Amino acid sequence: MSYITIFIAAIFVNNIVLSQFLGICPFLGVSKKISTAFGMGCAVMFVMTLATIVTHLIYHQVLVPFNLVYMQTIVFILVIAGLVQMVEIILKKTSPILYQALGIFLPLITTNCAVLGVAILSIQKEYGLLSAVCYSLANAIGFTLAIVLFAGMRERLERAGVPEALRGAPIALICAGLLSMAFIGFSGVGM
């Protein structure tokens, strides 16, 4: 598979949030403002890409040679947790406003199933290191695209005349479903 194919497929056809439904918690929780959504997307992009590099190297250099493949999930979660701590410290020092805006969702990147899912999927798909990096970066871009688009929709809905019964979570979930259907359309699935 070429890098371009991996990249396009991961962003649009198999979008991690809108087609594979991983990472829904931050998608719904941090998508009220575009700026916050973009900040979360950048944080996930950094963690997801770096986590895939580190987990790929650990898997192939430590777990497989020492026959410890059964420890994969635990080791991957520990790597992701360490990277999230690093991002949290960096954001707290460099961008306190974004750090405050992300709130509890920043440490929750540790349990974001999209980050762990991409690390595990790149191993299951038997990607080499460069293909795995391309795959994780594309998935992170797809995550960022989905959350920013959704945040834009939610910002517009705040100013729209939405009936009282649909305000808040109901209209947000309807929009998320419509956005998901649009992305599933990229895969060529007919209704």
Side-chain angles (χ1 to χ4, degrees), residues 4 7 17 20 24 35-36 42 46 51 59 87 90 95 100 105 136-137 143 147 150-151 156 158-159 180 184-185 188:
I4 300 280
F7 208 75
V17 177
Q20 295 183 30
I24 298 295
S35 59
T36 308
C42 290
F46 178 77
Y59 182 82
V87 168
I90 291 169
S95 182
Q100 287 283 335
F105 292 99
S136 66
L137 184 61
F143 177 88
I147 198 170
F150 189 54
R156 294 252 344 207
E158 287 295 317
R159 296 185 302 268
S180 179
I184 288 175

Side-chain angles (χ1 to χ4, degrees), residues 140-179:
I141 291 170
F143 177 88
T144 304
L145 176 66
I147 198 170
V148 168
L149 285 173
F150 189 54
M153 292 171 71
R154 288 182 77 175
E155 280 186 4
R156 294 252 344 207
L157 284 170
E158 287 295 317
R159 296 185 302 268
V162 177
E164 184 66 34
L166 291 176
R167 285 195 188 134
I171 195 69
L173 292 172
I174 290 169
C175 288
L178 292 172
L179 189 59

Side-chain angles (χ1 to χ4, degrees), residues 1-46:
M1 214 184 236
S2 74
Y3 296 123
I4 300 280
T5 305
I6 291 170
F7 208 75
I8 300 295
I11 294 173
F12 298 109
V13 179
N14 294 316
N15 185 285
I16 198 78
V17 177
L18 300 173
S19 295
Q20 295 183 30
F21 306 110
L22 294 173
I24 298 295
C25 180
F27 175 73
L28 292 173
V30 188
S31 59
K32 290 187 178 178
K33 288 201 247 177
I34 291 175
S35 59
T36 308
F38 184 72
M40 175 59 111
C42 290
V44 167
M45 193 177 308
F46 178 77

